[in-house]
Amino acid sequence: MTLSPSHPLMDGRTAESPLISAYRGLKPSRRPVWFMRQAGRSLPEYKKAREGVGMLESCLMPELASEITLQPVRRHDVDAGIFFSDIVIPLKLAGVGVDIVSGVGPVLDAPVRTAADVANLPRLEDSALDPIREAVALTVAELGTTPLIGFAGAPFTLAAYMVEGRPSRDHMGPRTMMHADPETWEALSGWAADVSGQFLKAQLEAGASAGQLFDSWAGSLGRADYERFVAPASARALDAVRGLGAPLVHFGTGTSEILKPMHDVGVDVVGVDYRLPLDEANRRLGGAVPLQGNIDPALLTAPWEVLEAHVREVVAAGSAAPGHVVNLGHGVPPTTDPEVLTRIVSLVHSIES
């Protein structure tokens, strides 16, 4: 399993870019920075492009998805594009009834809570991923030497939505299922791992230069439950892309206590949210793992002198790691002034590595 000779990592376009160099623990030509959720809701051009188009529908229109992915790269001079999509797209492409409800999030037509429910889940056909491949190819053709990051939702987060049927604060349903019906949980998380891996593989093979697994809800778990019931499925998802040679990143929120097992599923880089200083994250990971993060999104609306001091603290703390990609400790809030993001990028690039 290898990437094609015309892939940006193989033909020289992105292999030595600042992002990929930092992900590989090498010294980049400039300090790389990008923002989770940069492709979307904070940009006026995004709102205009998506007028009258539903969220999941927009993800499956290759030209629109590509344009939205490219918008923040043009505007902010970030060091990577993050593919515009949604973690539930693999579910929709497989035939699971799901939609994004405004003000709520992903909502399924019917929760998945029994062994029979899991047994009846459809298979994700490879051809269903063609719109994803087309969107990635269009984007990579425009990005040139700027790498594209592909992404997928981690199996636990996908399965949590499926069990609850919608977003949840405490994820009581999946956490109960792990212990009360571990066989059904294993089958469900295995299904989620397979569609997640297929989704990520399609992006990487089509031209993405790195892949990120988002485990949005892993922070609701204790370490023992994570290691026993979640890590094996995350490793299974990553098995689909492990041999391609693209750097792999693992990120979750509220995951300070499980950074080590999150790395141990087999990734090159660990993303850290805003709760834990990067120098402490580096210590917990043995000083051997490149890090990504972790500007606090709450400070994006603070006075510039406050935000600038915070960004400089993040950069200084991240310098302890073998590699550091500056990012937010979560996604861009929709109320963010885009000019602030552009200013952060300029600041980060001005700080000597």
Side-chain angles (χ1 to χ4, degrees), residues 225-237 250 261-262 264-265:
D225 279 357
Y226 180 84
E227 291 180 331
R228 179 180 173 189
F229 295 110
V230 174
S234 293
R236 175 168 165 172
H250 203 180
M262 285 183 69
D264 290 346
V265 301

Side-chain angles (χ1 to χ4, degrees), residues 69-81:
T69 302
L70 292 166
Q71 286 174 348
V73 181
R74 297 190 197 111
R75 179 186 270 264
H76 301 310
D77 190 29
V78 284
D79 293 282

Side-chain angles (χ1 to χ4, degrees), residues 2 12 39 43 54 62 86 94 138 160 182 187 203 224 230 259 264 281 301-302 309 312 322 325:
T2 57
L43 301 182
D86 191 275
L138 288 170
Q203 295 168 64
V230 174
L259 292 181
D264 290 346
T301 52
R312 289 183 181 277
V325 173

Side-chain angles (χ1 to χ4, degrees), residues 198-259:
Q198 284 178 265
F199 183 51
L200 189 55
K201 184 181 179 185
Q203 295 168 64
L204 289 171
E205 289 186 336
S209 292
Q212 177 160 302
L213 199 66
F214 282 83
D215 212 343
S216 307
W217 307 131
S220 67
L221 300 167
R223 180 164 179 152
D225 279 357
Y226 180 84
E227 291 180 331
R228 179 180 173 189
F229 295 110
V230 174
S234 293
R236 175 168 165 172
L238 292 166
D239 283 345
V241 296
R242 209 179 296 284
L244 293 176
L248 300 174
V249 187
H250 203 180
F251 172 77
T253 57
T255 53
S256 300
E257 301 306 315
I258 56 172
L259 292 181

Side-chain angles (χ1 to χ4, degrees), residues 93-108:
L93 292 178
V96 174
V98 62
D99 201 4
I100 305 293
V101 177
S102 180
V104 179
V107 176
L108 276 72

Side-chain angles (χ1 to χ4, degrees), residues 15-351:
E16 296 182 4
S17 64
L19 180 93
I20 300 302
S21 294
Y23 277 170
R24 289 179 167 159
L26 304 173
K27 191 171 179 65
S29 57
R30 71 178 186 183
R31 191 179 302 275
V33 53
W34 68 278
F35 306 106
M36 284 179 277
R37 293 185 182 157
Q38 67 186 16
R41 54 198 186 165
S42 68
L43 301 182
E45 56 265 44
Y46 164 77
K47 294 168 187 172
K48 183 177 180 181
R50 259 206 58 206
E51 280 179 359
V53 184
M55 174 61 189
L56 297 187
E57 183 185 356
S58 67
C59 296
L60 297 174
M61 299 170 64
E63 290 187 358
L64 180 57
S66 176
E67 167 60 20
I68 293 171
T69 302
L70 292 166
Q71 286 174 348
V73 181
R74 297 190 197 111
R75 179 186 270 264
H76 301 310
D77 190 29
V78 284
D79 293 282
I82 176 70
F83 184 56
F84 175 74
S85 192
D86 191 275
I87 63 169
V88 299
I89 284 291
L91 275 62
K92 186 173 182 65
L93 292 178
V96 174
V98 62
D99 201 4
I100 305 293
V101 177
S102 180
V104 179
V107 176
L108 276 72
D109 291 351
V112 179
R113 294 176 178 165
T114 68
D117 291 340
V118 177
N120 288 329
L121 286 170
R123 184 171 178 268
L124 175 56
E125 299 296 336
D126 187 65
S127 59
L129 292 160
D130 285 346
I132 305 302
R133 297 185 179 95
E134 184 180 348
V136 169
L138 288 170
T139 306
V140 167
E142 293 293 325
L143 281 173
T145 58
T146 301
L148 177 68
I149 301 169
F151 82 97
F156 173 72
T157 289
L158 291 181
Y161 279 126
M162 296 171 78
V163 174
E164 300 284 8
R166 60 196 299 117
S168 162
R169 286 191 174 190
D170 56 17
H171 313 290
M172 197 69 73
R175 287 167 52 211
T176 298
M177 183 188 284
M178 290 174 184
H179 296 276
D181 192 355
E183 289 185 2
T184 298
W185 172 256
E186 183 177 359
L188 174 58
S189 57
W191 184 91
D194 290 344
V195 299
S196 180
Q198 284 178 265
F199 183 51
L200 189 55
K201 184 181 179 185
Q203 295 168 64
L204 289 171
E205 289 186 336
S209 292
Q212 177 160 302
L213 199 66
F214 282 83
D215 212 343
S216 307
W217 307 131
S220 67
L221 300 167
R223 180 164 179 152
D225 279 357
Y226 180 84
E227 291 180 331
R228 179 180 173 189
F229 295 110
V230 174
S234 293
R236 175 168 165 172
L238 292 166
D239 283 345
V241 296
R242 209 179 296 284
L244 293 176
L248 300 174
V249 187
H250 203 180
F251 172 77
T253 57
T255 53
S256 300
E257 301 306 315
I258 56 172
L259 292 181
K260 181 71 165 59
M262 285 183 69
H263 175 252
D264 290 346
V265 301
V267 293
D268 305 288
V269 183
V270 172
V272 183
D273 80 354
Y274 57 88
R275 295 170 177 86
L276 187 72
L278 290 177
D279 49 359
E280 173 59 16
N282 180 62
R283 188 192 68 78
R284 294 185 185 190
L285 288 164
V289 181
L291 300 178
Q292 182 172 276
N294 65 347
I295 299 167
D296 187 342
L299 271 68
L300 295 177
T301 52
W304 173 252
E305 59 270 20
V306 175
L307 177 56
E308 178 181 0
H310 174 59
V311 171
R312 289 183 181 277
E313 288 172 0
V314 167
V315 169
S319 66
H324 178 213
V325 173
V326 179
N327 206 303
L328 298 180
H330 202 193
V332 175
T335 55
T336 302
D337 179 354
E339 295 303 318
V340 171
L341 297 181
T342 304
R343 199 170 179 185
I344 290 173
V345 173
S346 179
L347 170 62
V348 170
H349 287 161
S350 74
I351 300 172

